[in-house]
Amino acid sequence: MFRHTLLRLMSSILLLVTVPATAKQYLTVEQAQHVLFSEKAQFISQPVHLDAKQKDRVEDYYDVRMRTEEQPVWRVGRDAHGLVHGGRGVW
């Protein structure tokens, strides 16, 4: 009897123990740009298109797999003061 009560109590405690959970919040491209650069910075889209040979060389050199031959790239423009901002400081 005591053993069954102890087992029931232990199983109840195990049910009450929570497993820590984590969540990831991803930023949009625009949000990430404003986090990394000045809010006054302008971003000009300039996608880079690699031919098949260039794509293969990048994949071999960096040991990565590129999904497409066109890579999204943005050029950072100048803010109202004529400065190009990068990271959390001025380049």
Side-chain angles (χ1 to χ4, degrees):
M1 172 97 173
F2 176 73
R3 181 178 237 177
H4 293 294
T5 306
L6 183 61
L7 286 174
R8 236 184 286 159
L9 177 64
M10 288 178 69
S11 63
S12 298
I13 290 172
L14 288 176
L15 289 176
L16 293 175
V17 174
T18 59
V19 177
T22 59
K24 294 186 189 223
Q25 181 176 359
Y26 295 100
L27 301 175
T28 64
V29 171
E30 292 80 16
Q31 290 170 331
Q33 288 171 341
H34 288 294
V35 167
L36 295 173
F37 296 91
S38 165
E39 289 187 22
K40 294 180 181 178
Q42 298 173 348
F43 298 92
I44 298 103
S45 177
Q46 294 183 324
V48 174
H49 184 78
L50 305 174
D51 61 32
K53 187 176 181 179
Q54 291 171 321
K55 180 178 172 275
D56 290 340
R57 287 183 65 192
V58 170
E59 290 177 335
D60 291 341
Y61 186 82
Y62 289 104
D63 194 27
V64 296
R65 182 175 176 271
M66 297 172 65
R67 290 184 282 176
T68 63
E69 293 175 350
E70 185 170 291
Q71 300 300 307
V73 176
W74 287 266
R75 183 171 61 89
V76 180
R78 301 186 182 279
D79 66 7
H81 303 289
L83 300 173
V84 175
H85 290 267
R88 296 245 178 231
V90 177
W91 283 350

